[in-house]
Amino acid sequence: MNHALAIIFTTLSLLKMAMAEEEFCSAPSIVDSGSNSMHLYWKVTNPTLSPSHLQDLPGFTRSVYKRDHALITPESHVFSPLPEWTMTLGAYLITPAMGSHFVMYLAKMQENSLSGLPPYDAERFIFVVQGAVTLTNVSGISHKLTVDSYAYLPPNFDHSLKCDGSATLVVFERRHASLENQPTDQIVGSTDQQPLLETPGEVFQLRKLIPTSIPYDFNIHIMDFQPGEYLNVKEVHYNQHGLLLLEGQGIYRLGDSWYPVQAGDVIWMAPFVPQWYAALGKSRSRYLLYKDVNRNPL
């Protein structure tokens, strides 16, 4: 317990030092992908406590891996060429090797880069956190995806993502738990197009990016907390989660551990791990959350 408290105090001190050098951005919601200005979710790729702030602390990382959860922080990301993609570096952050039934990774696409396809029978979800890409399907229909845009691609759905400049994507893939005569469809959208949903007993704002209908076996939630707001329910459930903190900072409880977190941090939550979040700081917290749904756990 004393060791855990020491890590929390050290991290909070580092955050305070980093914030003294650079204030949190008040990012615009309208994005010019060709601009060098701070875009929405700028902190995901330029976190307040960045790897450069830890250069004088050899061996120090905020990342933690345990049986039922993991915190993967930016200084621990290891990028390498993504299989089947061209001119793209990827960092696998959550994989079945840690106990998940899905994969979550960051894809950094460079100029003239092109995506590969997911494995056979795997569905894919992409969310743009920096830059812009063009999504084209087998029919030749194209969509330009900018920051805060997303796409769901059904299993075995021929498609490509092309980037003419640079872009950073968060990608989820999993083997689809298909149901007879209930196929899923391609979905393209953006967060601000989705309505706010009721959250009985809670104060956070919630949007769901994928239809809640039975064919879809997972959803992606966007959850917003104002400073000082927190989850009322201390959740313990059968669902798995993969989380990317897009904006803000706070404290996340996972099991018996309490972690300071900031934009750019990734969390894996196994089934039934106790989980709870409280937002801190001076700006809103927003995170993107994977959740498996619509299937009997048996």
Side-chain angles (χ1 to χ4, degrees), residues 27-33 39-42 44 125-133 144-151 168-170 188-194 207 209 220-224 244 246-247 284 286-288:
S29 58
I30 299 176
V31 179
D32 176 3
S33 61
H39 55 76
L40 188 66
Y41 310 143
W42 184 80
V44 173
F125 180 90
I126 63 168
F127 185 93
V128 182
V129 296
Q130 177 266 319
V133 297
K144 185 175 182 180
L145 305 180
T146 57
V147 174
D148 216 28
S149 298
Y150 61 87
T168 301
L169 315 176
V170 56
V188 176
S190 63
T191 300
D192 59 6
Q193 294 174 342
Q194 302 309 310
R207 294 175 172 89
L209 306 187
I220 300 293
H221 296 183
I222 298 291
M223 300 172 64
D224 293 341
L244 172 63
L246 294 168
E247 294 181 303
R284 77 172 179 188
R286 166 173 283 188
Y287 58 70
L288 176 153

Side-chain angles (χ1 to χ4, degrees), residues 59-191:
F60 179 82
T61 178
R62 293 187 299 116
S63 291
V64 174
Y65 170 65
K66 295 188 177 182
R67 177 189 61 82
D68 55 7
H69 69 269
L71 170 65
I72 312 296
T73 56
E75 73 277 0
S76 301
H77 295 176
V78 178
F79 285 89
S80 59
L82 266 181
E84 310 300 329
W85 297 51
T86 62
M87 301 293 293
T88 304
L89 296 177
Y92 285 95
L93 304 173
I94 300 175
T95 77
M98 66 201 319
S100 70
H101 59 230
F102 65 95
V103 167
M104 176 182 178
Y105 59 93
L106 293 178
K108 289 190 174 182
M109 303 186 73
Q110 302 172 39
E111 187 175 359
N112 298 321
S113 54
L114 191 68
S115 68
L117 291 172
Y120 183 75
D121 276 352
E123 53 196 335
R124 170 182 281 175
F125 180 90
I126 63 168
F127 185 93
V128 182
V129 296
Q130 177 266 319
V133 297
T134 299
L135 168 66
T136 304
N137 65 23
V138 68
S139 300
I141 299 174
S142 296
H143 301 271
K144 185 175 182 180
L145 305 180
T146 57
V147 174
D148 216 28
S149 298
Y150 61 87
Y152 166 84
L153 294 316
N156 308 320
F157 182 80
D158 196 2
H159 66 276
S160 66
L161 298 163
K162 188 177 187 300
C163 181
D164 294 325
S166 67
T168 301
L169 315 176
V170 56
V171 185
F172 295 88
E173 294 171 355
R174 63 165 286 175
R175 302 282 182 185
H176 181 55
S178 60
L179 299 175
E180 187 175 0
N181 298 322
Q182 297 199 54
T184 58
D185 297 315
Q186 174 183 299
I187 298 166
V188 176
S190 63
T191 300

Side-chain angles (χ1 to χ4, degrees), residues 2 138 210:
N2 290 337
V138 68
I210 294 178

